[in-house]
Amino acid sequence: MNATRGGISCDVLILGAGPGGYAAAIRAGQLGLKTIVVEGEKPGGTCLNVGCIPSKAMIHVAEEFHKATSFAISGKSALGISHSKPKLDLKQSVAWKDGIVAKLNGGVSGLIKKAGAQLIQGWGKMLDGKTCEVQTKEGTKVIHAEHVVLAPGSVPVELPDLPYGDKVISSTEALALEKVPARLIVVGGGYIGLELGTAFAKMGSAVTVVEFADQVLPHYDRDIAKPVAKSLTDLGVTVHLSAKAKSLSKDGKALLVEDAQGKELSLAADKILVTVGRKSRMEGWGASNLYLTMDGPFIKIDDQCRTSMSDVFAIGDVTGEPMLAHRAIAQGEMVAEVIAGKSRRFDPAAIPAVCFTDPEVVVVGLSPAEAKKQGFDVKIGMFPFMANGRAMTMESDSGFVRVVARTDNHQVLGIQAVGKGVAELSSSFTLAMEMGAVLEDIAGTIHAHPTQSEALQEAALGALGHALHI
């Protein structure tokens, strides 16, 4: 990097080293562009440090503990396995999780360096569309860039009457607890709330979910949400639907809730986990110094992630829904190639969404209702895991795979699944969508037996009117 005008010059400046930012930095470096990525905390962003990765680690801890606990209860295991009651050292579990995060942090830093890009640790503030001032441990650094990529990410939404602090926590604090709360209230029955709520229920918390909508996972259709709701009931989780979280009680020991009938409830709690969504991070990095056209609360971009300012790009959560790490990674890689002069557009056929609930949920493309709303006449094929041999041998016969296709030409418009381990089917679903598969493509593809993936083939066969195993 060359010093100029009292600062550092580069081809590409990336603000934020989350999934999108570090992917952009790696690809830009690979393409020979002089690249600097600025990050105020550890590389990896929310996903790696306090989101996707640590939450999945704790979900695994909870699943293993719950499994061991069920084996310790006489008569619970049909497998013939039994042992004494297990104990959970949550502090040790968190340390194990932190070790995974630290290893991946180092991996990201190493990949950035290997690609020839430079990571500067410090809080960056854009002074204009070409200049960033960074506060580092060594002092202030000024960076001048030909191209800027904004990737500041998102932050949890805070409820005005339930500000974070002490008893009220966000997912970040929930993943750092060293003791399982005896009574945990989860405000918000979306995927974050249910992932963590389910995990703590399996670790021994008495969990209560308060959801404003009339079903859990309100952004998914009822067929998808139903097996998840049943699992919550089986775990002993109390769910209040069409309910509004109001505030803490005067003594601070309970959450006041207005239920579906308008009655006020007082729910005692040791911790209150608020998971009502995330919002784009538009403060703290100099957004007010830029002239950006907004699309509601998000930065407006085109199909190359260009903003309204010349040579200023934006990627990831700050650009809108879906706020998913893999979307940001794809955008970051593409933007680096656009800056390098390659012809690229961000136009995916579908972006998969996964809920690591119990059972897991995968949604790719259009649901039946969404397809019909867009004017498509559709054929629907659904295959239940209770008819899948592999699922039965894993005690995971809850849920199904569903395929939605056009009636006229059989093009697949969407694939959804709910069931144990279905997250690993997401790539197959997305690939089928991206390659423009028709029902006959999936039905005619030989799927390995016995695997859960056979449910995809069977769903396609079912949509064609001749499923084999149901």
Side-chain angles (χ1 to χ4, degrees), residues 392-414:
M392 293 172 68
T393 64
M394 297 191 301
E395 297 183 291
S396 57
D397 57 359
S398 172
F400 56 84
V401 173
R402 183 178 66 195
V403 177
V404 183
R406 291 175 56 160
T407 299
D408 56 356
N409 61 10
H410 294 182
Q411 181 185 0
V412 176
L413 299 174

Side-chain angles (χ1 to χ4, degrees), residues 15 123-126 281-287:
L15 190 65
W123 292 102
K125 180 179 180 180
M126 298 303 301
R281 188 195 299 268
M282 291 300 296
E283 298 177 355
W285 54 267

Side-chain angles (χ1 to χ4, degrees), residues 126-131 146-150 285-294 299-302 305-314:
M126 298 303 301
L127 302 182
D128 56 40
K130 298 284 187 182
T131 313
E146 290 299 314
H147 305 272
V148 171
V149 181
L150 303 174
W285 54 267
S288 60
N289 294 329
L290 304 179
Y291 297 93
L292 298 167
T293 298
M294 302 297 291
I299 298 175
K300 187 174 183 178
I301 56 172
D302 66 9
C305 294
R306 295 181 185 272
T307 70
S308 53
M309 295 181 69
S310 179
D311 296 320
V312 177
F313 300 78

Side-chain angles (χ1 to χ4, degrees), residues 247-265:
S247 64
L248 288 176
S249 58
K250 289 183 179 181
D251 61 9
K253 294 182 180 180
L255 175 68
L256 300 180
V257 174
E258 183 180 306
D259 70 9
Q261 287 73 44
K263 179 182 177 182
E264 185 173 274
L265 306 176

Side-chain angles (χ1 to χ4, degrees), residues 64-405:
E64 293 300 297
F65 180 68
H66 180 66
K67 188 186 300 181
T69 301
S70 68
F71 290 158
I73 301 174
S74 177
K76 281 287 283 186
S77 175
L79 308 182
I81 301 173
S82 62
H83 55 68
S84 58
K85 187 175 182 180
K87 295 181 180 179
L88 176 65
D89 183 343
L90 188 59
K91 186 175 181 179
Q92 183 177 333
S93 300
V94 169
W96 170 75
K97 175 263 295 181
D98 289 343
I100 293 172
V101 171
K103 186 179 293 185
L104 291 172
N105 284 143
V108 170
S109 297
L111 290 170
I112 291 172
K113 184 177 180 180
K114 179 183 176 183
Q118 179 183 353
L119 172 64
I120 293 182
Q121 298 261 193
W123 292 102
K125 180 179 180 180
M126 298 303 301
L127 302 182
D128 56 40
K130 298 284 187 182
T131 313
C132 182
E133 183 180 82
V134 187
Q135 303 299 327
T136 73
K137 290 181 180 179
E138 295 76 31
T140 302
K141 295 183 179 182
V142 178
I143 304 170
H144 307 283
E146 290 299 314
H147 305 272
V148 171
V149 181
L150 303 174
S154 61
V155 294
V157 171
E158 187 174 29
L159 293 175
D161 295 327
L162 283 173
Y164 295 125
D166 190 26
K167 184 169 290 192
V168 182
I169 60 175
S170 70
S171 57
T172 299
E173 291 77 41
L175 291 168
L177 292 175
E178 295 185 352
K179 182 180 179 182
V180 176
R183 298 164 300 180
L184 174 69
I185 295 178
V186 179
V187 179
Y191 77 94
I192 297 175
L194 294 194
E195 284 183 3
L196 294 178
T198 297
F200 278 103
K202 289 183 176 180
M203 289 189 284
S205 289
V207 176
T208 299
V209 175
V210 177
E211 169 53 48
F212 187 72
D214 62 357
Q215 69 167 68
V216 294
L217 297 179
H219 296 299
Y220 298 87
D221 65 67
R222 293 186 184 277
D223 287 339
I224 291 288
K226 192 178 297 182
V228 178
K230 182 180 183 303
S231 176
L232 292 172
T233 299
D234 292 344
L235 284 170
V237 175
T238 300
V239 180
H240 294 280
L241 298 175
S242 302
K244 180 181 179 181
K246 298 177 67 177
S247 64
L248 288 176
S249 58
K250 289 183 179 181
D251 61 9
K253 294 182 180 180
L255 175 68
L256 300 180
V257 174
E258 183 180 306
D259 70 9
Q261 287 73 44
K263 179 182 177 182
E264 185 173 274
L265 306 176
S266 179
L267 307 178
D270 297 292
K271 291 292 180 182
I272 299 170
L273 171 59
V274 177
T275 59
V276 293
R278 298 184 66 84
K279 63 179 181 179
S280 59
R281 188 195 299 268
M282 291 300 296
E283 298 177 355
W285 54 267
S288 60
N289 294 329
L290 304 179
Y291 297 93
L292 298 167
T293 298
M294 302 297 291
D295 182 10
F298 305 111
I299 298 175
K300 187 174 183 178
I301 56 172
D302 66 9
D303 61 1
Q304 288 188 318
C305 294
R306 295 181 185 272
T307 70
S308 53
M309 295 181 69
S310 179
D311 296 320
V312 177
F313 300 78
I315 61 176
D317 290 358
V318 79
T319 64
E321 298 289 353
M323 290 186 176
L324 298 170
H326 41 282
R327 171 178 176 264
I329 291 171
Q331 288 178 321
E333 185 266 344
M334 181 209 69
V335 163
E337 296 204 346
V338 169
I339 292 172
K342 295 181 179 292
S343 179
R344 290 288 306 276
R345 292 286 188 276
F346 189 71
D347 186 26
I351 300 175
V354 179
C355 301
F356 290 85
T357 44
D358 181 7
E360 294 174 352
V361 172
V362 174
V363 173
V364 181
L366 303 178
S367 69
E370 290 168 338
K372 292 173 184 176
K373 188 175 181 180
Q374 291 191 20
F376 292 108
D377 184 22
V378 298
K379 298 173 74 71
I380 300 168
M382 183 183 292
F383 190 81
F385 281 120
M386 68 173 60
N388 177 268
R390 178 58 175 158
M392 293 172 68
T393 64
M394 297 191 301
E395 297 183 291
S396 57
D397 57 359
S398 172
F400 56 84
V401 173
R402 183 178 66 195
V403 177
V404 183

